[in-house]
Amino acid sequence: MILILQSKATDDQVDHVIEKVESLGLKAHLSRGTYRTIVGIIGDESKLSEERLRSIPGVSEVVPVLPPYKLASLEAHPEPSVVNVSGVQIGGGHLGMIAGPCSVEDADRMHRIAKSVRDAGANLFRGGAYKPRTSPYAFQGLGEDGLKILREVGDEYGMPIVTEVTDPRNVELVAKYADMLQVGARNMQNFVLLTEVGKTSRPVLLKRGMSATIKDLLMSAEYVLSQGNPNVVLCERGIKGFDTITRNLFDVAAVPAVKALTHLPIIVDPSHATGRPDLIPPCALAGIAAGADGVHVEVHDCPEEAKSDGPQALLPDQYQELAKQMRQLAELFQKTISPLPEALA
Amino acid sequence: MILILQSKATDDQVDHVIEKVESLGLKAHLSRGTYRTIVGIIGDESKLSEERLRSIPGVSEVVPVLPPYKLASLEAHPEPSVVNVSGVQIGGGHLGMIAGPCSVEDADRMHRIAKSVRDAGANLFRGGAYKPRTSPYAFQGLGEDGLKILREVGDEYGMPIVTEVTDPRNVELVAKYADMLQVGARNMQNFVLLTEVGKTSRPVLLKRGMSATIKDLLMSAEYVLSQGNPNVVLCERGIKGFDTITRNLFDVAAVPAVKALTHLPIIVDPSHATGRPDLIPPCALAGIAAGADGVHVEVHDCPEEAKSDGPQALLPDQYQELAKQMRQLAELFQKTISPLPEALA
Amino acid sequence: MILILQSKATDDQVDHVIEKVESLGLKAHLSRGTYRTIVGIIGDESKLSEERLRSIPGVSEVVPVLPPYKLASLEAHPEPSVVNVSGVQIGGGHLGMIAGPCSVEDADRMHRIAKSVRDAGANLFRGGAYKPRTSPYAFQGLGEDGLKILREVGDEYGMPIVTEVTDPRNVELVAKYADMLQVGARNMQNFVLLTEVGKTSRPVLLKRGMSATIKDLLMSAEYVLSQGNPNVVLCERGIKGFDTITRNLFDVAAVPAVKALTHLPIIVDPSHATGRPDLIPPCALAGIAAGADGVHVEVHDCPEEAKSDGPQALLPDQYQELAKQMRQLAELFQKTISPLPEALA
Amino acid sequence: MILILQSKATDDQVDHVIEKVESLGLKAHLSRGTYRTIVGIIGDESKLSEERLRSIPGVSEVVPVLPPYKLASLEAHPEPSVVNVSGVQIGGGHLGMIAGPCSVEDADRMHRIAKSVRDAGANLFRGGAYKPRTSPYAFQGLGEDGLKILREVGDEYGMPIVTEVTDPRNVELVAKYADMLQVGARNMQNFVLLTEVGKTSRPVLLKRGMSATIKDLLMSAEYVLSQGNPNVVLCERGIKGFDTITRNLFDVAAVPAVKALTHLPIIVDPSHATGRPDLIPPCALAGIAAGADGVHVEVHDCPEEAKSDGPQALLPDQYQELAKQMRQLAELFQKTISPLPEALA
C-alpha cells in the first residue's frame, strides 16, 4: 500500500501513521515531497485493511499495489483457466455456446428448443427453474420439477445443462441435477450464496451485477475460489446505463479488461445485455471479436408465450443463423468449440 | 396497458394483437392514428404480463397505466404509513434517528457508542453482526455473539436495535434478537431473503440497491408486503455514480419522488451515500429538508480501529452536533422524534 | 506526482523513468516495495503532464498530489469568495435567489413574472434569450429582442438579470445587457466559450455538465479564472442518471464536496435537476440545508404556454411559498439574502 | 402523440386537454379505460411540443409516436446513406479506416505517422489542430499552422484528412483545409457549432457526447442535416460509466441500435472509448463485428512524447497488425474498404 498524506498533515500525524504501520510488523518508507508526504508500506500487504488505513488522521489516499483478489489474479495463475462442464470446455481458446429459454417451461417445449439449439451447434443447454423476478406476482419458476425436465432434456440430447440457483438452501438440490450452477446478476454480491456454491464442485457461471465494477466481479469470483471451487466462468451481461433504448448497457470492453487481470474465462450474454432480439446477433459477434470465451443466448420458439423475458429471446431459426456466423468468427480467431461429450460426466 | 404498434404493423398483426387481448378476457380499444395504431386494453390489468405483450409481433411499446406494486402504492393506502419499531415511530411526521457502528465489535465499545448516541438523541441503535463484505478475506461479523451484544446494549440503554440479515436461514435467529431487520443494498433484489423477512412480523429496513430504480425499490418492498408484513421502511443510501469523489451518489430527490408513489416511510443514510465524514452532516440535513422520515448515521469512537467502514463514520462528538441541527430542522418542518420507549416491546 | 510502476517493470524501464523525470529538471525519489516500485517526483509539478507520464513504458498509475485547478483551489484562496452581481452578493454566507422563466417571452408576461418573483423575495431575475435546444425545430429564443426585454424588466423591478450565452460571437452583446452570464450545462466544456466569458468582467454562472465530475467542473471554472475573470458561481443542476423518474439526478452532495475543494460559491438548480414541479421545493430546501449559496428556480405563470421547459416551472404562488421556506432555512443556518440593490451597477 | 392522463384527472381537465388539442387544428381521440383515460392525437404531430403537452394540468405522460429527428430517420430515407469524403466512402457496406495522432505535431512526425498508417491500410488521416482540453494550461493545438501541416501530409500521401473544429468562427477556415470536419464529444450539443458546420458542404464526423442518448445524438445530427448538409457520419466513442478501469464505456450496442433508427453511417472510436492501448484492438474488432461503418484509431510513434492523449494511441506496428485483422473481418462480413482516391476532391 502507499499512503498519500494530506497536504496539511502535521508532524504528529506523520509519526502516528508510521507507528501504526510498524505496529503491524511492516516497514514504513517515508518520502517527503515538496507538497505532500508519501508513506510506502513494505512487507506483507495482505495483513492490511485499506479502510482502516484511510481512517488514520492525516491520510488522504490509500493506493493498493496488489490486487485484492488473490486466487483470481493472473499473478496467482498466469495461464488462462479452462473450465470443464461435464465434457464441454470453456476458456483457453474453447468457446462455450450456451442456449435455451429463460425459464424452464413444459417438457415438450423444452425438448423442441433443446433439439433446435443442439442442431444449430450449441453445446450447453440453459433454462431457469428458480427465477429471480422483480415482481412477487410474476412466474417464479417450476422449481424441482423444472430441474427434472432440464436433466431429462439434457440427457436426451447429450447437452450439459446450466441453471440458476438463487437460494443457499437449494444449492445442493440444484447441484444434483445441473452440470453448471448460474449465479445471476442480482445475486453477484449475495456472499452467502457465493460461499455455498463455492463449497460444491460444480462449475459456476457468475454473472456481473448491474452496478458491479470489474474489480467487484473478481472479488465475487474470489468468494467462490476461496471456498475451494476453482471452476468459475464470468459473464458480462450488461450493466446499468442511462439510455433506455437497450435494457442494459453491454460493456464489451469488459471482456479484454477482465482478461488483463484474471485467468478465469469470460463469456457474454447479449440477450440480457440488450433486451432486444435485433441487437442480440451483432452483440454476440462483437463479444467473440473482443475475445469472449463463449456466448449465452436465450432462445424460445414462441416469445409471446414465454413465461419470462420473451422480448429478449431469439427464435430457433435466428439462433441457427447466428450460430453459423459465430462459428465463422471462431474459425477466424482460431477458437475451438467443444463437441457434445460422448457421455455426460 | 396501452400497446403502441410499430408504424409498419400489418393488418394481420393488428388482428392478432386484438385476438390475444380478447383471449385473456379483456377488451381491446383500437385507435388508428395517422402514423400509428394504438390498442388500449380495458379490464383487469393485473392479469397481463408487460413482457409477453411486448413479445407480440407488431407491438412497439407497452405503456402500463397502473403501478405494478399494488400494496405499496398510494392507490392502495393513500395515507402515509407509520412503522412502529418497538415503540419508536417512523413515518407520518415521525423521524427515526438511527445511529451506531457499522459492525458490532466488543461489548465495551458497543456500550460506549450506544450511550453516546442515545445521549445525543438517537432513538434506534444499529450494528451489523452479519456483514456482507466485498472481500472474502475481510471481517465477516461476530454472528450470533454480535446479536447478543446488541440485544444487551439495546436493553441497557432502552433503544430498539436494527441489524442486518443476509441469509434466509438466519432470519428467524436474527428476528429473535432484533427489533428491526435490515436488508442491505446488495440484497435488495435477493427475492429469497425478501420473502423470508416478509414472513416475520419484524419491521424491515429495506435499503435501495446501487442500480435500483425507484420502481425496483418499490417492487422489492412489495415482496415483503405481499408476504403479509406491512412494516417496511425504505432507505436511500446512494446509488452508483460516475464521480469517484463520493463513494456513492446520494439521490436526495428520491425522497420526495418515493413519497409521490407510496405510503411507506423513507429515511436516508448519508454514511453509505457519501462515504466521507465531512459530507455526512450536510447530506443528513439535506435529507430531512427533502422530507425524509429519518436519518441513519454510522458512529464510531475510533474509526481507525473500526472493523469495517471506518472512513464513513462520525465521531460521537460530531454526531452530537449533527443531532442538534437535525432536531432544529425537525422543529422547523414540524416533525416529531419519538422518545425512547418506556419498555422495549 | 507519484508514479506507481507495473509489477513487471524491468530495471531498464525504471532507469528510463528516472532519466525522463530528471530531464525535466525534477528529482525522482525511488522506493522499492516488496511487489512494486514507486517513484515520487519532487519539484514543481506544474511542469508535468499526467498523460505523458502515463505513457512511459513500465508506468502503471500516476497519482497527482496537487489539484490541477490552481486558481479555483482552496490552496490559492482559502476563504470563500463572494461574487457581487450588480449589488447582489452570492457566496460567503450570502444566498442568491434566482428566479424567472426558462425563456424570455413577450414583455407583458416578463413583467408579470418578474414582479411576482421580486415580491416573493427573489433578488436576481433570469430568462433565456438564446436557447440551446435539443431539436433544431424547437423555439430558439428571441435573441437580442429578448435581451432588451430582460434589461427593461430588470431595470423596472430593480433586479440584476442573468441570461445564457451560447455563442462566442455573442458574448460581448449579451454582456452589454446582462448582469451575469450563464454558461449552460451543455456548454460546460465549450472551452472556446469559456475563454470568451473569461475575458469579460461580468460574473459567470457556470452550470455543471451532465457527465462532468466535480474535478471537470472546477477545470472549466479554471478556464474562466485563468482569463482574468474571478467572478464565477458554480451551479449543480443534475447529472445523468439511470432512473427516468426524474429528468436528471440531483447530486446534492456535490455542494459540500465542491466547498471542500474551492473558494467559489455554488448554487443549486432544482428545476433542471428534477424536471418536476412537485420535486422542486424539497430539492431547493435540501440544497440550502447542504450549504448551497443560492437557488435557481424556473417560474412561469402558465406552464402549458411556456415556450420551453414548462414542465419544470413553479407557478408564482408556489414560488412564493417556497421562498418563504427558503428564508426560514436561511435564518436557521445564519445565511443572509442581499436586498435588491439601490441602483443596478 | 398519445397523452396518458393522471388517474385523478377531473372531467374539467379532460375537457381542457381536448380543447387544447383541437385549438391546434388536430383531432383528439378519447379512450376511457378502467383506471386511466388516454387521448390519442390525430393529425400532423410536427406542430406539437411534447413539453407543452406535458404541462397541461391532468396530463401524466406524453408518448410520441414519430421520431423527432425527421431527416435522420429511416422513415425519411430507408436506404443506408453513403458519405463520400473526397473519394473515400463510408456507409452502405464501405468501411472508413481513420487513423492518425490525437494532435497535429511537427511536420516530420506527421509525415512518418501518415506514411505508416497509409501503408497499414488506413484511408483517412486524422489529427487535431484545435484541441478541446480539460485544462486551460494544457497544449491547445497548433491552430492554422497545424491545418497546413495536415493538408500537406494528406496531399503527399493521398489521404483525405479529418480534423476537429471547436469554434463557430473557425468553421470556414478549417473547411478550407480539411476534407471532413469533426465535431467532438464535448461539442455534440454545441448547437451553434452544429449549425455552422451544417452550412458547409464538408462531410461531418459527429461524435457522441458522453451523456448523450442515441436520440440525443440523432437530434444533433438533425441540426446539421436541417441546415442542408446531408453528409453526417456518427461516431460511438464511449459514454460515461461508473468503472474507472476504462476511460469511458464503449457502447458497442449503439452501432446496431443506431442503424435501426437512421440511414446515417456510424463508426467506432475505440481509442477514446477505452483509453487503453491494450483494449483498442479487441474493441475495434468488436465494432466491426457489430456492424460499424468504420474505425477511428489514434496512432503515435512515441506516445510518451505525444502532446495529448498519448496513453490511448497505438504504435504504428500495433496499428498495422490491427488493420490486418480488421480487413479479415471486413471480408468475412462482405464489407468494402475504399482505396485511396486517385486525386483528392
Side-chain angles (χ1 to χ4, degrees):
Chain A
M1 303 269 188
I2 300 159
L3 311 182
I4 304 178
L5 304 193
Q6 291 164 0
S7 56
K8 297 169 190 167
T10 62
D11 285 351
D12 280 1
Q13 287 178 329
V14 175
D15 291 348
H16 177 65
V17 167
I18 294 173
E19 272 167 40
K20 195 89 195 178
V21 169
E22 294 180 343
S23 75
L24 296 161
L26 301 160
K27 276 195 204 160
H29 181 286
L30 197 71
S31 163
R32 287 186 187 271
T34 315
Y35 305 102
R36 291 278 180 108
T37 295
I38 313 301
V39 179
I41 302 182
I42 298 172
D44 180 3
E45 190 159 306
S46 67
K47 293 181 194 165
L48 295 172
S49 150
E50 201 178 320
E51 275 176 357
R52 283 204 197 180
L53 293 171
R54 216 177 322 127
S55 301
I56 304 178
V59 172
S60 164
E61 273 183 79
V62 178
V63 185
V65 297
L66 274 188
Y69 38 88
K70 291 159 210 196
L71 302 171
S73 74
L74 279 176
E75 280 82 355
H77 189 300
E79 292 307 308
S81 288
V82 180
V83 172
N84 184 317
V85 185
S86 302
V88 169
Q89 296 188 305
I90 303 178
H94 304 276
L95 292 190
M97 303 282 270
I98 305 176
C102 180
S103 297
V104 179
E105 304 183 21
D106 62 280
D108 281 358
R109 191 185 294 283
M110 290 304 98
H111 278 271
R112 280 201 307 276
I113 300 177
K115 183 173 186 314
S116 78
V117 299
R118 185 203 61 181
D119 292 351
N123 55 14
L124 290 157
F125 186 61
R126 65 143 286 125
Y130 297 93
K131 300 298 307 169
R133 304 302 301 277
T134 312
S135 166
Y137 309 118
F139 176 66
Q140 308 274 323
L142 296 177
E144 189 169 359
D145 287 346
L147 295 176
K148 286 178 181 161
I149 295 174
L150 259 187
R151 183 70 271 159
E152 178 201 302
V153 168
D155 288 344
E156 167 134 6
Y157 299 97
M159 303 176 82
I161 61 171
V162 186
T163 198
E164 182 162 358
V165 59
T166 60
D167 187 333
R169 297 168 297 195
N170 283 346
V171 170
E172 212 175 323
L173 177 75
V174 178
K176 201 176 79 185
Y177 291 98
D179 298 286
M180 184 176 214
L181 304 176
Q182 177 186 314
V183 174
R186 287 175 181 77
N187 281 316
M188 193 202 85
Q189 293 193 318
N190 182 340
F191 304 117
V192 170
L193 184 64
L194 293 173
T195 301
E196 289 301 322
V197 300
K199 289 178 185 163
T200 75
S201 57
R202 289 288 183 203
V204 175
L205 180 61
L206 178 61
K207 294 197 152 190
R208 181 179 180 190
M210 279 164 284
S211 56
T213 62
I214 286 173
K215 185 185 147 191
D216 290 336
L217 174 61
L218 295 177
M219 291 306 294
S220 286
E222 189 81 8
Y223 261 92
V224 180
L225 301 176
S226 67
Q227 293 297 324
N229 184 343
N231 300 305
V232 176
V233 174
L234 307 172
C235 180
E236 163 58 34
R237 47 76 73 205
I239 53 176
K240 204 76 187 179
F242 57 76
D243 196 342
T244 54
I245 204 165
T246 48
R247 180 167 171 184
N248 289 295
L249 183 47
F250 180 42
D251 181 12
V252 77
V255 172
V258 158
K259 285 183 171 292
L261 297 171
T262 186
H263 53 92
L264 299 173
I266 177 166
I267 69 166
V268 294
D269 169 359
S271 289
H272 285 88
T274 67
R276 283 173 49 175
D278 61 327
L279 304 186
I280 294 173
C283 290
L285 298 170
I288 295 178
D293 298 301
V295 178
H296 171 289
V297 175
E298 295 197 348
V299 177
H300 199 282
D301 58 358
C302 186
E304 72 183 83
E305 289 175 7
K307 293 202 176 293
S308 60
D309 276 356
Q312 69 191 36
L314 288 188
L315 292 167
D317 283 359
Q318 293 169 324
Y319 183 69
Q320 191 178 14
E321 174 62 24
L322 171 61
K324 196 179 122 198
Q325 292 182 293
M326 291 196 288
R327 279 196 302 274
Q328 291 173 334
L329 263 192
E331 200 177 329
L332 183 63
F333 290 109
Q334 297 173 305
K335 296 290 177 83
T336 305
I337 298 173
S338 291
L340 292 183
E342 297 282 312
L344 292 182
Chain B
M1 303 269 186
I2 300 161
L3 310 183
I4 303 178
L5 304 193
Q6 290 164 0
S7 55
K8 297 170 190 167
T10 63
D11 284 350
D12 280 1
Q13 287 179 328
V14 174
D15 290 349
H16 178 64
V17 167
I18 293 173
E19 269 166 42
K20 195 87 195 177
V21 169
E22 294 179 344
S23 75
L24 295 162
L26 300 161
K27 276 195 203 157
H29 181 286
L30 197 71
S31 162
R32 286 186 187 270
T34 314
Y35 304 102
R36 292 279 178 108
T37 294
I38 312 302
V39 180
I41 302 182
I42 298 173
D44 179 5
E45 188 158 308
S46 67
K47 294 181 193 162
L48 296 171
S49 150
E50 202 178 318
E51 274 176 0
R52 284 205 198 179
L53 293 171
R54 216 176 324 126
S55 300
I56 304 177
V59 171
S60 163
E61 270 182 82
V62 178
V63 184
V65 298
L66 276 188
Y69 38 86
K70 291 158 210 194
L71 303 171
S73 74
L74 278 178
E75 280 81 355
H77 189 302
E79 294 305 308
S81 287
V82 180
V83 172
N84 185 316
V85 186
S86 302
V88 168
Q89 296 188 307
I90 302 179
H94 304 275
L95 292 190
M97 303 282 271
I98 305 176
C102 180
S103 297
V104 179
E105 304 183 21
D106 63 280
D108 281 359
R109 191 184 294 281
M110 290 303 101
H111 278 271
R112 279 200 310 275
I113 300 178
K115 183 172 187 314
S116 78
V117 298
R118 185 202 62 180
D119 292 351
N123 54 16
L124 291 155
F125 186 61
R126 67 142 284 128
Y130 297 93
K131 299 299 307 169
R133 303 302 300 278
T134 312
S135 166
Y137 310 118
F139 175 65
Q140 308 273 323
L142 296 178
E144 189 170 359
D145 288 346
L147 295 176
K148 287 177 182 163
I149 294 173
L150 258 188
R151 185 70 269 162
E152 178 200 303
V153 168
D155 288 343
E156 166 135 6
Y157 300 98
M159 303 176 83
I161 62 171
V162 187
T163 197
E164 182 162 359
V165 58
T166 60
D167 188 334
R169 296 168 296 194
N170 281 347
V171 170
E172 210 175 324
L173 177 74
V174 178
K176 201 175 79 185
Y177 291 99
D179 298 286
M180 184 176 215
L181 305 176
Q182 178 184 312
V183 174
R186 287 175 181 77
N187 281 316
M188 192 203 84
Q189 293 192 319
N190 181 340
F191 304 118
V192 170
L193 184 63
L194 293 173
T195 301
E196 289 301 321
V197 299
K199 290 178 185 161
T200 74
S201 57
R202 289 290 184 200
V204 175
L205 180 60
L206 177 61
K207 294 196 151 189
R208 181 179 180 188
M210 278 165 285
S211 56
T213 61
I214 285 173
K215 186 185 147 192
D216 291 336
L217 175 60
L218 294 178
M219 291 307 293
S220 287
E222 189 79 8
Y223 260 92
V224 180
L225 299 177
S226 68
Q227 293 297 323
N229 184 345
N231 300 305
V232 176
V233 174
L234 308 171
C235 181
E236 161 60 35
R237 47 73 77 205
I239 53 176
K240 204 75 184 179
F242 57 76
D243 196 343
T244 54
I245 204 166
T246 48
R247 181 167 170 185
N248 290 294
L249 184 46
F250 179 42
D251 181 12
V252 77
V255 172
V258 158
K259 286 182 170 292
L261 298 171
T262 186
H263 53 91
L264 299 173
I266 178 165
I267 69 167
V268 295
D269 170 359
S271 288
H272 285 88
T274 67
R276 282 173 49 175
D278 60 327
L279 304 186
I280 294 173
C283 290
L285 298 171
I288 295 178
D293 298 303
V295 179
H296 172 288
V297 175
E298 295 196 348
V299 177
H300 199 282
D301 59 356
C302 186
E304 71 182 84
E305 289 176 8
K307 293 201 176 293
S308 59
D309 276 356
Q312 69 191 36
L314 289 188
L315 293 167
D317 283 359
Q318 293 170 323
Y319 183 70
Q320 190 177 15
E321 174 61 23
L322 170 59
K324 195 179 124 197
Q325 292 181 294
M326 292 196 287
R327 278 196 302 274
Q328 290 173 334
L329 263 191
E331 200 177 329
L332 182 64
F333 290 109
Q334 296 174 305
K335 298 287 178 84
T336 305
I337 298 173
S338 290
L340 292 183
E342 297 281 313
L344 291 181
Chain C
M1 303 272 187
I2 300 160
L3 310 183
I4 303 178
L5 304 193
Q6 292 163 0
S7 55
K8 299 169 189 169
T10 63
D11 284 352
D12 280 2
Q13 287 179 330
V14 175
D15 290 349
H16 178 64
V17 167
I18 294 173
E19 270 167 40
K20 196 85 192 180
V21 169
E22 293 180 344
S23 76
L24 295 162
L26 300 160
K27 277 194 202 159
H29 181 285
L30 197 69
S31 162
R32 288 187 186 271
T34 315
Y35 304 101
R36 292 279 178 108
T37 295
I38 312 300
V39 180
I41 303 183
I42 300 172
D44 179 4
E45 189 159 306
S46 67
K47 292 180 192 164
L48 295 172
S49 150
E50 202 177 318
E51 274 176 359
R52 284 205 197 180
L53 293 171
R54 216 176 323 126
S55 301
I56 304 176
V59 171
S60 163
E61 272 182 80
V62 178
V63 184
V65 297
L66 275 187
Y69 39 87
K70 293 160 210 192
L71 302 171
S73 74
L74 278 177
E75 280 82 356
H77 190 299
E79 293 305 309
S81 287
V82 180
V83 172
N84 184 317
V85 185
S86 302
V88 168
Q89 296 189 307
I90 302 178
H94 304 275
L95 292 190
M97 303 281 271
I98 306 178
C102 180
S103 297
V104 179
E105 303 183 21
D106 63 280
D108 281 359
R109 190 184 295 279
M110 291 303 100
H111 278 271
R112 279 200 309 274
I113 300 176
K115 183 171 184 315
S116 77
V117 299
R118 184 203 60 182
D119 291 352
N123 55 15
L124 290 156
F125 187 61
R126 67 143 285 128
Y130 298 93
K131 298 299 308 169
R133 302 304 299 279
T134 312
S135 166
Y137 309 117
F139 175 66
Q140 308 273 323
L142 296 177
E144 189 169 0
D145 287 347
L147 296 176
K148 286 178 181 163
I149 294 173
L150 258 189
R151 185 70 269 160
E152 181 200 301
V153 168
D155 288 346
E156 169 135 3
Y157 298 97
M159 302 175 84
I161 61 172
V162 187
T163 198
E164 182 162 358
V165 59
T166 60
D167 188 334
R169 296 168 297 195
N170 281 348
V171 170
E172 210 175 325
L173 177 74
V174 177
K176 203 175 78 185
Y177 290 98
D179 298 287
M180 185 176 214
L181 304 176
Q182 178 185 313
V183 174
R186 287 175 180 77
N187 281 315
M188 192 203 86
Q189 292 192 319
N190 181 340
F191 304 116
V192 170
L193 184 64
L194 293 173
T195 301
E196 289 302 321
V197 301
K199 290 177 184 163
T200 74
S201 57
R202 289 289 183 201
V204 174
L205 179 61
L206 177 62
K207 293 195 153 189
R208 182 178 178 188
M210 278 162 286
S211 56
T213 61
I214 285 173
K215 185 185 148 191
D216 290 336
L217 174 61
L218 294 177
M219 291 308 291
S220 287
E222 190 82 8
Y223 260 92
V224 179
L225 300 176
S226 69
Q227 293 297 322
N229 184 345
N231 300 305
V232 176
V233 174
L234 307 170
C235 181
E236 163 59 35
R237 47 74 74 203
I239 54 177
K240 205 75 185 180
F242 57 76
D243 196 343
T244 54
I245 205 167
T246 49
R247 182 168 172 185
N248 290 293
L249 184 46
F250 180 42
D251 182 11
V252 77
V255 172
V258 158
K259 285 183 171 293
L261 297 172
T262 184
H263 53 91
L264 298 173
I266 177 163
I267 69 168
V268 294
D269 170 359
S271 289
H272 284 88
T274 68
R276 283 174 49 174
D278 60 327
L279 304 187
I280 295 174
C283 290
L285 298 171
I288 295 178
D293 299 301
V295 179
H296 172 288
V297 175
E298 295 197 349
V299 177
H300 199 282
D301 58 358
C302 186
E304 71 182 82
E305 289 176 6
K307 292 199 177 296
S308 59
D309 275 355
Q312 69 190 38
L314 288 188
L315 293 167
D317 283 358
Q318 294 170 322
Y319 183 69
Q320 192 177 12
E321 174 60 23
L322 170 61
K324 196 178 124 198
Q325 292 181 294
M326 293 197 286
R327 278 195 303 275
Q328 291 173 332
L329 263 192
E331 201 176 326
L332 183 64
F333 290 109
Q334 296 175 306
K335 297 289 178 84
T336 305
I337 298 172
S338 291
L340 293 183
E342 297 280 311
L344 293 181
Chain D
M1 302 271 186
I2 299 160
L3 309 183
I4 303 178
L5 304 194
Q6 292 163 359
S7 55
K8 298 171 189 166
T10 63
D11 285 350
D12 280 2
Q13 286 179 331
V14 175
D15 291 349
H16 177 63
V17 167
I18 294 173
E19 270 167 42
K20 196 86 195 179
V21 169
E22 293 180 344
S23 76
L24 294 162
L26 300 160
K27 276 196 205 156
H29 181 287
L30 198 70
S31 163
R32 286 186 188 270
T34 315
Y35 305 102
R36 291 281 179 106
T37 295
I38 313 299
V39 180
I41 302 182
I42 299 171
D44 180 3
E45 190 160 305
S46 68
K47 292 179 193 165
L48 295 172
S49 150
E50 201 178 320
E51 273 176 0
R52 282 203 199 182
L53 293 171
R54 216 176 322 126
S55 300
I56 304 178
V59 172
S60 163
E61 271 184 81
V62 178
V63 184
V65 297
L66 275 187
Y69 38 88
K70 293 160 209 193
L71 303 171
S73 74
L74 279 177
E75 280 81 356
H77 190 300
E79 292 307 308
S81 288
V82 180
V83 172
N84 184 317
V85 185
S86 302
V88 168
Q89 295 188 307
I90 303 178
H94 303 276
L95 292 190
M97 303 281 272
I98 307 176
C102 180
S103 297
V104 180
E105 303 183 21
D106 63 280
D108 282 359
R109 189 185 295 280
M110 290 303 99
H111 278 270
R112 280 200 308 274
I113 299 177
K115 185 173 185 314
S116 78
V117 299
R118 185 202 61 182
D119 292 352
N123 55 14
L124 290 156
F125 187 61
R126 67 144 284 127
Y130 297 93
K131 299 299 306 170
R133 304 304 299 278
T134 310
S135 165
Y137 310 118
F139 175 66
Q140 308 274 321
L142 295 177
E144 190 170 359
D145 287 347
L147 295 176
K148 287 178 181 162
I149 294 173
L150 258 188
R151 184 68 270 159
E152 181 200 301
V153 168
D155 288 343
E156 169 134 3
Y157 299 97
M159 303 176 83
I161 62 172
V162 187
T163 197
E164 181 163 359
V165 59
T166 60
D167 188 334
R169 296 169 296 195
N170 281 348
V171 171
E172 211 176 324
L173 177 75
V174 178
K176 203 175 79 185
Y177 290 99
D179 298 287
M180 185 176 214
L181 305 176
Q182 177 186 313
V183 174
R186 287 176 180 76
N187 281 315
M188 192 203 85
Q189 292 193 317
N190 181 340
F191 304 115
V192 169
L193 184 65
L194 293 172
T195 301
E196 289 301 321
V197 301
K199 290 177 184 163
T200 74
S201 57
R202 289 288 183 203
V204 174
L205 180 61
L206 178 61
K207 294 196 151 190
R208 180 179 181 189
M210 279 163 284
S211 55
T213 61
I214 286 173
K215 186 185 146 192
D216 290 336
L217 175 61
L218 295 177
M219 291 307 292
S220 286
E222 189 80 9
Y223 260 92
V224 179
L225 300 176
S226 68
Q227 293 297 323
N229 184 345
N231 300 306
V232 175
V233 174
L234 306 171
C235 180
E236 163 58 35
R237 45 75 75 204
I239 55 177
K240 203 76 186 179
F242 57 76
D243 196 342
T244 53
I245 204 165
T246 49
R247 182 168 169 184
N248 290 295
L249 184 46
F250 180 41
D251 181 11
V252 77
V255 172
V258 157
K259 286 184 170 291
L261 297 172
T262 186
H263 53 93
L264 298 173
I266 177 164
I267 69 167
V268 294
D269 169 0
S271 288
H272 284 88
T274 66
R276 283 173 49 174
D278 61 328
L279 303 186
I280 294 173
C283 290
L285 298 170
I288 295 177
D293 298 301
V295 179
H296 171 289
V297 174
E298 295 197 349
V299 177
H300 198 283
D301 58 357
C302 185
E304 71 182 84
E305 288 176 7
K307 293 202 176 295
S308 59
D309 276 354
Q312 69 190 38
L314 289 189
L315 293 167
D317 283 359
Q318 294 170 322
Y319 183 70
Q320 193 178 10
E321 174 61 22
L322 169 60
K324 196 179 122 199
Q325 293 181 292
M326 292 197 288
R327 277 197 304 275
Q328 291 173 333
L329 263 193
E331 201 176 329
L332 182 65
F333 291 109
Q334 296 174 305
K335 297 289 178 85
T336 306
I337 298 173
S338 291
L340 292 184
E342 297 282 312
L344 292 181

